[in-house]
């Protein structure tokens, strides 16, 4: 099969086999009366995001995790206290030799809070899920060929406050769950058989938001290995600029660093590649990088008249930056860029490429049903596809830096982005977070606005103004091409307020002030940075306050906000308002407004926690879609027991007129109110209700609901019919119930069970903001109730070509089986997992003795000078005369070894030797030549004292010449 067939999902690649029992079902659209609200599956693979930095490799397998804090023990005695403050001598769970053998093995990204039960006493804003503190440990081996390289660890996001140790040395602190942490591993690195140990303590008790924030290493983690002289992380700035004559240039600045021992002269080459990979322009410049210092290489590429990046045609070019040394390429980055101009006008709003564009945006938090904040890259793309389908063109990253991959998708799919800083604070630690955000994101064509804060009480004070001035100056030092805004919720008219020192005024609500502010500030561009805050429960069409259910007719909103329709009306009628960002695109865990327990998530979303559409989806489709006709009907038409009662029928469309019919009977024609929608009161009668949208008297779109019968079978519908067998690709699968005619049953609320083969079950959900059912399961089986007809499971494909099979059952219903193709797509490289072995690395070496010493001899407590500190594998140089030495170590055996005993193995010992454990001799090495030494260790809890007496021959290296490990028997 060729690649084209594979991408189309052709035979053998996994054509759709979504079946109740094993009878094929053709997926239906909403226009045929079958009522299924999700799109038909795509018959293609999702393209993989390219990696811009070939020097980095994912480090996401083989992590060990412990939920709960592990207090660091108090040092016992002066000697322990002395050592505890020395580099490489971290105590407790951060120690190199800490016993983590009974910790759970986890794969990253990992959000441990997503698997927690809902607990009433837990924080309401965080969604009633306990968070707490967790520890991660990961052993790592570095190839000796990596010696001399720049080596870094990249943590893309740790929730929330993090402490990071490398090889027993405290290497980094971080105070936010949203910025990346880059750790220079170079000075701590060990190579070959010596194992490196990475330890992270993640304190998720710390809160930065009033929404669900997750817990742990929830974004990607990378090991970076670069040449000694290389471009630093986020070190390429290449945001295109248009010249007055209409041509484009790409100013490139590459920041280089060096760990060499002498100043290094290198050549930096920048090339512009078109969308097909053809080279358009190349320039070179030479730069000298000082020892352990940095230097900038600046050059400019002439791009001519390239194709523009826009919402409709997000054309991307590639900036390739290389470092050459001695004529050889030693480092490379590839940065996706787009050629577009952005301008905010005080009277006419936003212009992209000198064309007016109304911002049709949503605010997003980063969690999703089933996976919490550890959202797979492919699921990020699917969420954006759902937004794009309703005409959304902009995302506000509220209220924090997004995962980098989300911006990559926005570049490729044509979204405008308001990139937002989390912590409003110009103090050094927090200013560094803002500067990191700008450095990382300033090349993305999707990013059109920097937001320095959201709804800060100091926004109307002199101090707030001074804070914004300093933060804005930091942004402009790094990027002067995009305007700066702040999301304000009041204080607009105070004598001192931050609207006076930002480029674009951002309104959070206060829609009644649009005209006044514009009148008083006629030269200040403005946008709605947040609006709406309307409430809907997906699939519900009557409010039940006692049951925490809110109608989806778009009639209920927070006191500070407005309905979806009224809020957009206020924006679209005012050309001077650049557009708006609806609160929110998706429901999110936490902040369960307007209710609290047992409600555990928001009601604000246009789509629910799973991405299932609410009525608001159709409302905004009518508002925002201009390139095709749309029409939709709410509610569904399955209301047993309500025969003859009037049902409010709400129709949304972007056409000119709409006609409504029930069972072929004409219910009248109305001129379309594109903003507010159209309503009929229709006495309920089972059957078929149809809306016909017309332009010029011709039908251009139809929407149909038919009354569904009793559910008889389950159905499984994937987002895509084929997945990449790369151990990474993920997608949601919808579970619903159908009647005997294959129609979706929107009132089904029954329990379903399912199993997954050929893939990993990541999580489940159903969009119910009041559900306390678990969202994660330990194995391949799970369960979830349908909520108003729908539920969702999220799967990640296993590696290799094959099949994925999902089976779903429910009591009294015919089961469903879904079979998907798993294409032979190579997994991304991952750093190899290091087998768990208790290593003995650190020893005290005695002075040389002319006579055999007592094996119990030890340095006095506090004596840190008369015995050397050495490591396994460090030979003792040969001396003129033979002599004895003691090599002494203190170990705490792992729990299983302590209980059952084990084996201690020295790979290489030079000289005759005696091995003693706790004062008992357990092995003897008779020969002086280098050889291994092994002996059993009896059970016993630590600490244990290991003493190796070595009789070293004259003139030959001796001692512990290789690794030492203790293993189970």
């Amino acid at each position: 099969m060729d690649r084209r067939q594979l991408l189309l999902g052709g035979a053998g690649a996994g054509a759709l086999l979504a079946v109740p029992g094993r009878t094929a079902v053709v997926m239906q659209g909403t226009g045929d009366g079958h009522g299924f609200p999700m799109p038909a599956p795509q018959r293609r693979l999702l393209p993989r995001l390219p990696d811009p930095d070939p020097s980095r490799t994912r480090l996401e397998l083989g992590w060990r995790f412990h939920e709960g804090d592990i207090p660091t023990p108090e040092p016992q005695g002066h000697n322990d206290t002395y050592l505890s403050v020395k580099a490489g001598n971290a105590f407790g769970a951060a120690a190199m030799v800490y016993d983590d053998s009974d910790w759970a093995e986890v794969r990253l990204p990992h959000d441990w809070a997503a698997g927690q039960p809902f607990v009433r006493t837990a924080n309401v804003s965080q969604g009633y899920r306990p968070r707490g503190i967790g520890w991660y440990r990961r052993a790592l081996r570095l190839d000796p060929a990596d010696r001399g390289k720049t080596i870094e660890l990249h943590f893309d996001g740790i929730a929330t406050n993090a402490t990071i140790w490398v090889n027993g040395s405290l290497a980094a602190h971080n105070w936010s769950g949203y910025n990346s942490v880059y750790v220079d591993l170079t000075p701590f690195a060990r190579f070959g058989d010596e194992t490196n140990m990475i330890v992270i303590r993640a304190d998720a008790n710390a809160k930065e938001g009033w929404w669900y924030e997750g817990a742990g290493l929830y974004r990607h983690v990378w090991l970076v290995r670069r040449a000694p002289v290389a471009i630093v992380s986020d070190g390429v700035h290449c945001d295109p600029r248009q010249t007055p004559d209409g041509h484009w240039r790409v100013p490139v600045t590459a920041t280089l660093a060096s760990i060499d021992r002498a100043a290094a002269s290198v050549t930096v080459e920048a090339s512009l590649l078109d969308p097909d990979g053809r080279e358009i322009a190349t320039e070179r410049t030479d730069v000298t990088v000082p020892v352990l210092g940095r230097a900038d290489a600046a050059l400019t590429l002439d791009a001519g008249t390239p194709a523009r990046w826009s919402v409709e045609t997000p054309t991307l070019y590639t900036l390739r930056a290389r470092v050459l040394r001695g004529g050889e390429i030693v480092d490379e980055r590839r940065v996706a860029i787009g050629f577009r101009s952005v301008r905010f006008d005080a009277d006419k709003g936003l212009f992209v490429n000198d064309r007016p564009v109304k911002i049709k945006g949503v605010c997003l938090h980063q969690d999703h049903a089933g996976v919490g904040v550890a959202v797979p890259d492919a699921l990020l793309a699917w969420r954006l596809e759902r937004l794009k389908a309703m005409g959304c063109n902009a995302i506000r990253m509220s209220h924090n830096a997004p995962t980098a991959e989300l911006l990559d998708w926005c570049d490729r799919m044509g979204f405008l982005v308001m990139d937002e800083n989390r912590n409003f604070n110009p103090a050094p630690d927090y200013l560094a977070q803002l500067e990191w955000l700008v450095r990382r994101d300033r090349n993305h064509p999707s990013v059109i606005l920097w937001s320095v804060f959201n709804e800060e009480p100091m926004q109307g004070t002199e101090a707030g103004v001074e804070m914004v001035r300093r933060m804005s100056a930091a942004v402009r030092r790094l990027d002067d091409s995009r305007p700066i805004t702040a999301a304000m919720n009041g204080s607009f008219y105070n004598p001192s307020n931050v609207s006076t020192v930002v480029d674009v005024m951002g309104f959070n609500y206060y829609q009644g002030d649009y005209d006044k502010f514009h009148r008083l500030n006629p030269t200040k561009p403005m946008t709605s940075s947040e609006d709406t805050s309307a409430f809907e429960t997906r699939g519900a069409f009557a409010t039940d306050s006692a049951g925490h259910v809110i109608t989806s007719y778009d009639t209920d909103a927070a006191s500070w906000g407005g309905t979806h329709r009224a809020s957009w009306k206020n924006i679209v009628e005012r050309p001077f308002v650049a557009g708006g960002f609806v609160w929110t695109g998706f429901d999110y865990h936490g902040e369960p407004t307007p209710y609290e327990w047992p409600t555990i998530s928001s009601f604000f979303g246009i789509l629910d926690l799973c991405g299932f559409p609410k009525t608001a989806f159709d409302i905004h489709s009518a508002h925002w879609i201009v390139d095709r006709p749309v029409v939709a009907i709410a509610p569904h038409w399955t209301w047993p027991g309500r025969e003859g009662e009037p049902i409010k029928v709400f129709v949304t469309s972007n056409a000119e007129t709409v006609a409504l019919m029930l069972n072929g009977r004409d219910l009248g024609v109305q001129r379309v109110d594109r903003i507010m929608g159209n309503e009929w009161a229709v006495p309920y009668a089972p059957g078929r209700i149809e809306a016909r949208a017309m332009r010029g008297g011709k039908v251009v779109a139809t929407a149909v609901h038919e009354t569904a019968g009793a559910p008889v079978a389950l159905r499984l519908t994937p987002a895509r019919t084929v997945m990449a067998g790369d151990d990474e690709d993920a997608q949601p699968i919808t579970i619903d119930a159908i009647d005997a005619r294959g129609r979706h049953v929107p009132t089904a609320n029954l329990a379903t069970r399912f199993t997954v083969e050929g893939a990993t079950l990541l999580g489940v959900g159903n969009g119910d903001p009041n559900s306390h059912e678990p969202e994660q399961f330990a194995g391949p089986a799970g369960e979830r109730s349908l909520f108003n007809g729908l539920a969702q499971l999220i799967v990640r494909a296993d590696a290799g070509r094959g099949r994925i099979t999902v089976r779903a059952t429910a009591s009294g219903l015919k089961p469903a089986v879904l079979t998907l193709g798993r294409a032979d797509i190579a997994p991304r490289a991952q750093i190899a997992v290091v087998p768990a072995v208790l290593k003995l690395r650190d020893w005290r070496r005695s002075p040389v003795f002319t006579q055999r010493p007592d094996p119990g001899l030890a340095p006095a407590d506090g004596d840190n000078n008369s015995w050397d500190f050495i490591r396994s594998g460090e030979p003792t140089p040969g001396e003129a005369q033979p002599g004895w030495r003691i090599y002494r170590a203190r170990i705490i055996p792992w729990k299983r070894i302590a209980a059952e005993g084990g084996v201690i193995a020295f790979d290489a010992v030079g000289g005759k030797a005696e091995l003693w454990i706790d004062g008992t001799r357990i092995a003897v090495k008779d020969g002086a030549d280098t050889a291994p030494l092994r002996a059993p260790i009896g059970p016993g809890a630590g600490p244990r004292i290991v003493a190796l007496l070595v009789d070293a021959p004259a003139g030959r290296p001796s001692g512990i010449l290789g690794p030492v490990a203790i293993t189970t028997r």
Side-chain angles (χ1 to χ4, degrees), residues 150-175:
T150 299
I151 303 175
E152 292 179 350
L153 295 169
H154 286 189
F155 299 91
D156 284 355
I158 306 174
T160 294
N161 289 354
T163 308
I164 303 170
W165 292 264
V166 175
N167 292 340
S169 291
L170 183 57
H173 288 291
N174 190 62
W175 312 116

